[in-house]
Amino acid sequence: MNIGHASRESGVSERMIRHYEKIGLIPPPARRDSGYRDYSDADVHRLKFAANARDLGFPIEEIRELLSLWGDEERSSADVKALALARADELGRKAEALAAMRATLLDLANRCRGGDRPDCPILETLSGESSKS
């Protein structure tokens, strides 16, 4: 199948498919006599795997490792579990940081009168000035 069909089947954009090939995340597909890429069902399956891993927040290098583990029938599921738990921990840290940022923004917005006057605790905080409200 051509790259457009592989893209539709896998849910991965043509641009990302080319990128994944360039960085070696997926092997280069066979080429037709015309020079066009010719993707197999296995290629599409690998692309779907990569897309699912990306959706769960795995970075490229960890996706590469997961793909390697997926293809290794001698793998230990403990290795896969360790990657998943490490990613979950990292996502938890990011979620906590986002929650703290949200709380700060809501606090600043609540302290802002939002009227016609120029005083603004949001801008004062962002500029490093002490808040007067």
Side-chain angles (χ1 to χ4, degrees):
M1 71 186 80
N2 66 26
I3 194 168
H5 189 215
S7 175
R8 285 187 298 280
E9 289 291 314
S10 67
V12 177
S13 72
E14 292 180 27
R15 186 181 64 77
M16 279 310 277
I17 292 172
R18 288 185 193 98
H19 176 68
Y20 287 168
E21 287 173 23
K22 183 178 178 182
I23 64 172
L25 190 64
I26 62 168
R31 296 277 182 164
R32 297 179 186 170
D33 291 338
S34 63
Y36 288 105
R37 294 170 172 90
D38 190 18
Y39 294 90
S40 67
D41 289 337
D43 293 326
V44 170
H45 199 111
R46 192 171 174 94
L47 287 166
K48 285 180 183 179
F49 183 102
N52 290 336
R54 280 298 273 184
D55 288 347
L56 289 173
F58 285 100
I60 292 295
E61 286 312 309
E62 289 180 13
I63 294 172
R64 187 182 312 278
E65 191 172 349
L66 287 165
L67 282 165
S68 176
L69 288 166
W70 182 43
D72 178 3
E73 294 186 14
E74 301 296 317
R75 72 180 170 267
S76 164
S77 64
D79 294 337
V80 181
K81 182 177 180 175
L83 279 172
L85 289 174
R87 179 62 24 215
D89 287 346
E90 178 63 22
L91 290 173
R93 285 189 289 278
K94 287 181 179 183
E96 289 171 3
L98 287 171
M101 287 188 282
R102 182 177 186 274
T104 299
L105 286 170
L106 289 172
D107 176 60
L108 290 170
N110 285 333
R111 292 185 3 220
C112 181
R113 290 188 180 97
D116 294 335
R117 298 187 41 92
D119 57 318
C120 179
I122 299 167
L123 295 177
E124 290 169 3
T125 298
L126 292 174
S127 70
E129 299 173 15
S130 61
S131 179
K132 297 174 185 166
S133 13

